[in-house]
């Protein structure tokens, strides 16, 4: 058996230096023990997009796959220390802001971001109906005043963004993505990516083939988007997946409309491959691309991992049909 020579320490160092480092994306978000949303979702998504995550914990959620029960807010000084410690060592290429825990934390994160105004920031506003009214209002006020002006794109569900940007909306029709973008622009955010816009069901059989729209808009109008067929299940972590994917793409210099299209496609396939780990909602599978096809035969070695194609199985190996959820390929 022929083995490749092991490089010396100097040779290994030269090899590492010759490799281009991946884009590094810093995410400010809450820790989610379900692994579905928050930093868990951001880390999975950023990694799946080929970037390197720099996760900063802002809050610890007490939740399962169905609902949020409570949170433990991280001290604002600890958030700043986490971020600045890493940023003094690692060059970030972009930022993602998720749930920050409190109005005080919003202010602390905004202070850090102000030193990196030249880098793209994608901000995601989740549904915060689980918070106490006063706490939620102070958080949203701070987010509107401090995070929106620094954001390249604000991402959120249609209803969540309507309640946030147009709280007095009382028209008989839903607010359009452009109207939401106009309101966001008044606070400094030039673009909104609005998800979950319900489209009229023109099917003869009501309830069949219902679609939702996802639209990138500016104050001038809708720019691009993608229609999804409405899933019959509820998901957790979709918004964090979309916003993290978009932040990763912008961090490597992708043009905004192309990045939105690619991020939406990534989300759609993650949802399509989603799974239910518990008794609550379905979790997106951000590594859907690493699963072998259902009917593909792979050679497994003694360790149970797929082997390169070969005419004969090595000693101790076996041929197996691997369903989704089995061993994943490493790309």
């Amino acid at each position: 058996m022929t083995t490749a020579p092991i490089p010396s320490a100097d040779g290994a160092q030269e090899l590492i230096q010759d490799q281009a480092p991946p884009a590094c994306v810093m995410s400010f978000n809450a820790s989610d023990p379900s692994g579905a949303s928050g930093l868990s979702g951001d880390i999975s998504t950023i990694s799946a997009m080929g970037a390197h995550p720099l996760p900063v914990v802002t809050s610890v959620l007490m939740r399962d796959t169905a609902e949020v029960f409570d949170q433990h807010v991280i001290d604002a000084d600890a958030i700043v220390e986490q971020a600045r410690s890493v940023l003094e060592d690692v060059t970030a290429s972009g930022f993602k802001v998720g749930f920050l825990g409190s109005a005080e934390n919003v202010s602390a994160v905004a202070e850090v971001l102000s030193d990196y105004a030249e880098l793209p920031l994608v901000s995601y506003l989740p549904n915060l109906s689980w918070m106490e009214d006063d706490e939620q209002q102070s958080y949203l006020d701070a987010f509107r005043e401090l995070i929106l002006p620094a954001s390249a794109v604000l991402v959120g569900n249609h209803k969540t963004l309507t309640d946030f940007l147009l709280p007095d909306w009382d028209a008989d029709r839903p607010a359009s993505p452009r109207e939401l973008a106009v309101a966001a622009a008044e606070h400094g955010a030039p673009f909104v990516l609005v998800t979950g816009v319900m489209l009229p069901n023109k099917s003869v059989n009501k309830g069949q083939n219902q679609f939702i729209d996802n639209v990138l808009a500016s104050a001038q109008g809708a720019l691009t988007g993608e229609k999804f067929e409405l899933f019959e299940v509820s998901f957790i972590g979709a918004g964090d997946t979309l916003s993290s994917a978009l932040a990763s793409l912008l961090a490597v210099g992708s043009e905004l409309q192309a990045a939105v299209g690619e991020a939406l496609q990534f989300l759609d396939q993650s949802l399509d491959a989603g799974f239910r780990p518990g008794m609550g909602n379905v979790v997106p599978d951000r590594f859907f691309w690493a699963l072998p096809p259902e009917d593909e035969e792979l050679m497994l070695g003694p360790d149970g991992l797929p082997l390169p194609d070969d005419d004969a199985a090595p000693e101790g190996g076996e041929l197996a049909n691997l369903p989704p959820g089995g061993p994943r390929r490493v790309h």
Side-chain angles (χ1 to χ4, degrees), residues 259-324:
V260 167
E262 187 172 345
L264 285 169
Q265 284 294 321
F266 179 85
L267 173 63
D268 189 36
Q269 293 178 78
S270 296
L271 297 182
D272 190 52
F275 59 97
R276 181 178 280 111
M279 297 181 290
N281 297 316
V282 174
V283 175
D285 185 352
R286 290 97 175 181
F287 289 92
F288 61 87
W289 46 265
L291 288 171
E294 291 186 39
D295 58 351
E296 182 176 346
E297 287 191 340
L298 293 178
M299 193 71 68
L300 300 185
D303 57 2
L305 296 177
L307 296 170
D309 291 338
D310 202 349
D311 293 334
E315 183 179 355
E318 60 178 348
L319 198 63
N321 289 313
L322 298 180

Side-chain angles (χ1 to χ4, degrees), residues 11 57 70 160 210-211 229 269:
V57 184
D70 202 353
T160 300
Q210 178 71 49
F211 287 84
E229 187 169 358
Q269 293 178 78

Side-chain angles (χ1 to χ4, degrees), residues 6-30:
I6 300 174
S8 65
D10 291 340
Q13 185 64 31
E14 290 177 2
L15 180 63
I16 293 172
Q17 289 175 347
D18 288 341
Q19 295 175 343
C24 296
V25 179
M26 176 166 284
S27 171
F28 296 91
N29 212 340

Side-chain angles (χ1 to χ4, degrees), residues 27-30 36-39 42 63 95-101 106 121-128 139-140 143 147-148 151-158 160-161 164 193-195 235-247 267 286:
S27 171
F28 296 91
N29 212 340
S37 65
L39 280 181
D42 290 344
R63 70 159 306 152
F95 292 92
K96 146 76 186 284
V97 161
F99 178 57
L100 303 180
V106 171
L121 166 64
V122 175
S123 299
Y124 169 56
L125 185 66
N127 181 351
L128 301 177
Y139 179 89
L140 294 176
F143 193 93
I147 298 299
L148 285 194
S151 301
V153 186
L154 171 65
V155 180
N157 175 268
H158 182 254
T160 300
L161 291 187
F164 173 56
L193 179 50
V194 188
T195 66
F235 289 89
I236 174 178
D240 277 316
T241 302
L242 177 59
S243 51
S244 295
L246 180 58
L267 173 63
R286 290 97 175 181

